[in-house]
Amino acid sequence: MEEKIVDSKGRVYLGKWYANKRIYIVDLGGVIVLTPYTAFAEELGKIKSVEELMEFLKSISPKELREAFREAVWEKTKS
């Protein structure tokens, strides 16, 4: 886990890896998820509560999650 401080303008420095990259922000009622993966953000956008988030995360295996991320990254890089 990493702790970041939000500055007076509401900004958080994520690091150079994210520089000039599009990220998606999903607010689940106080739980904020930042992700560079469109497919993951779209699925999270359907979730309405933290409880639903926990159920969603339990419903997919880490292997499925990795495969979905790889597929999304591959789609972005080949175009």
Side-chain angles (χ1 to χ4, degrees), residues 3 17 19 21 29-30 36 47 51 56 61 66-67 71-72 78:
E3 181 178 315
W17 189 85
K21 292 184 181 172
I47 296 172
E51 291 78 19
F56 169 71
S61 70
R66 279 192 304 273
E67 288 172 3
E71 190 174 306
K78 72 177 191 178

Side-chain angles (χ1 to χ4, degrees), residues 5 25 30 41-42 57 59 67 69:
I5 303 294
I25 303 165
E42 287 171 350
L57 293 175
S59 74
E67 288 172 3
F69 289 159

